[in-house]
Amino acid sequence: MATETRDERDEPEAKDDGKGKGRKKSPSKRTSPVLFVRQVLAELRKVIWPTRRELVTYTTAALVFVLVMVAIVSGFDYGLQKGVYAIFG
């Protein structure tokens, strides 16, 4: 049945072996500015940059969405304004 849930007894206990948790760098270790810039550049090389076509498509979609939302909010605002003027006029 699709609505059945798993019983907690059916799941094995998660064991915490302590790896990767609670390990922090000591506060006295600082990254040098040169190392920081190298790490930033290394991360930027990993980024998958959009093509010009993808960029134009995403920008157009975002602008159309914003314009549609502006139209909806403006229409709602105009309707409320007319309603308030009709009531309190």
Side-chain angles (χ1 to χ4, degrees), residues 4 13 17 21 39 45 54 56 76 87:
E4 289 182 14
E13 290 291 322
D17 55 4
K21 293 184 181 178
Q39 289 174 344
R45 281 188 215 105
E54 290 172 335
V56 169
F76 187 67
I87 294 171

Side-chain angles (χ1 to χ4, degrees), residues 27-51:
S28 63
K29 286 227 170 191
R30 296 190 62 148
T31 302
S32 70
V34 174
L35 179 60
F36 175 75
V37 170
R38 284 183 188 161
Q39 289 174 344
V40 168
L41 292 176
E43 289 300 319
L44 284 174
R45 281 188 215 105
K46 295 177 187 178
V47 173
I48 300 173
W49 298 98
T51 63

Side-chain angles (χ1 to χ4, degrees), residues 65-81:
F65 176 77
V66 168
L67 289 175
V68 168
M69 293 308 295
V70 165
I72 290 170
V73 170
S74 296
F76 187 67
D77 183 50
Y78 181 76
L80 285 175
Q81 178 187 2

